[in-house]
Amino acid sequence: QVRLVESGGGSVQAGGSLRLSCASTLSTTSAYCMSWFRQAPGKEREGVAGIDSDGTTNYADSVKGRFTVSKDNAKMTLYLQMNSLKPEDTAMYYCAADLVFSPRQMLIPTEFGHWGQGTQVTVSS
């Protein structure tokens, strides 16, 4: 059973930064991809950024240049550094893990079967 636990969410003003973390029980030899998704009230869950086991990353167009996804392979912990935050980044952020086979799939929620409980990010203008 894969367990994912997010942390690091909070409230910040527009232009500020936050760093999210996702601790996992994945083996250090896991081939799983790990990704970040977000869901705002009344909206569908959307992919934000993902990183696979060989370090390949993919980002949603809305966060390119502002967010950076990374992973500590020794700890199997996923990170999301979020800079230049905007009010439209406000959402519940979720970590997910599964085997995916293309960068495109890293951002598709239905490709993932293991999810964390989420951490709230609120950006005020």
Side-chain angles (χ1 to χ4, degrees):
Q1 182 72 18
V2 176
R3 185 164 182 247
L4 304 168
V5 180
E6 302 95 333
S7 61
S11 297
V12 65
Q13 289 192 325
S17 299
L18 282 174
R19 188 192 194 208
L20 306 183
S21 299
C22 172
S24 80
T25 56
L26 288 168
S27 163
T28 57
T29 60
S30 173
Y32 274 26
C33 168
M34 297 182 75
S35 290
W36 288 101
F37 294 84
R38 66 186 181 187
Q39 188 166 18
K43 295 189 176 181
E44 292 186 355
R45 191 168 296 190
E46 63 175 357
V48 176
I51 183 168
D52 69 13
S53 58
D54 70 3
T56 300
T57 59
N58 195 19
Y59 294 89
D61 287 344
S62 59
V63 306
K64 282 180 181 176
R66 300 189 297 123
F67 292 8
T68 302
V69 63
S70 62
K71 187 173 64 168
D72 182 329
N73 288 320
K75 299 178 180 180
M76 290 307 281
T77 297
L78 181 70
Y79 301 100
L80 185 68
Q81 178 65 44
M82 304 186 295
N83 298 328
S84 302
L85 282 161
K86 304 176 181 180
E88 51 263 45
D89 294 318
T90 295
M92 184 72 78
Y93 282 71
Y94 298 91
C95 171
D98 218 313
L99 283 172
V100 298
F101 300 100
S102 72
R104 184 184 68 86
Q105 288 176 308
M106 292 181 189
L107 303 183
I108 300 175
T110 53
E111 297 291 338
F112 290 80
H114 306 282
W115 293 85
Q117 82 290 347
T119 186
Q120 178 68 37
V121 172
T122 303
V123 185
S124 58
S125 57

